[in-house]
Amino acid sequence: MSNNNKTLVPEAKEALNKVKMEAAAEVGVNLKQGYNGNLTSKEAGSVGGQMVKKMVESYENSVKNNTNG
């Protein structure tokens, strides 16, 4: 199976890792740098869901700020 998880914007990789670590802390999942294959599907899904929630909120705030200025 090939890995298609290529970062489209390499400069964003560090920022995404920061968001991932913050999201994990917010949902109570203990992530470490590097491989986290010991996570359950529920834990991984919680982190991913929290990341999406944070990204949507960020986008909504940027749209709101751009329409009010």
Side-chain angles (χ1 to χ4, degrees):
M1 181 183 293
S2 67
N3 184 352
N4 292 325
N5 293 332
K6 295 180 182 146
T7 304
L8 295 177
V9 182
E11 298 82 16
K13 190 169 190 162
E14 187 174 321
L16 284 172
N17 280 332
K18 182 179 176 196
V19 169
K20 179 171 57 175
M21 297 304 274
E22 289 173 0
E26 290 172 7
V27 296
V29 174
N30 186 18
L31 278 187
K32 58 184 184 266
Q33 293 294 331
Y35 181 72
N36 284 284
N38 60 323
L39 294 181
T40 66
S41 296
K42 182 178 180 180
E43 290 171 324
S46 295
V47 173
Q50 186 68 10
M51 288 176 68
V52 171
K53 180 180 176 184
K54 290 171 72 79
M55 286 186 251
V56 168
E57 287 174 352
S58 176
Y59 176 76
E60 287 175 341
N61 287 335
S62 71
V63 168
K64 184 169 62 172
N65 290 336
N66 286 334
T67 59
N68 289 336

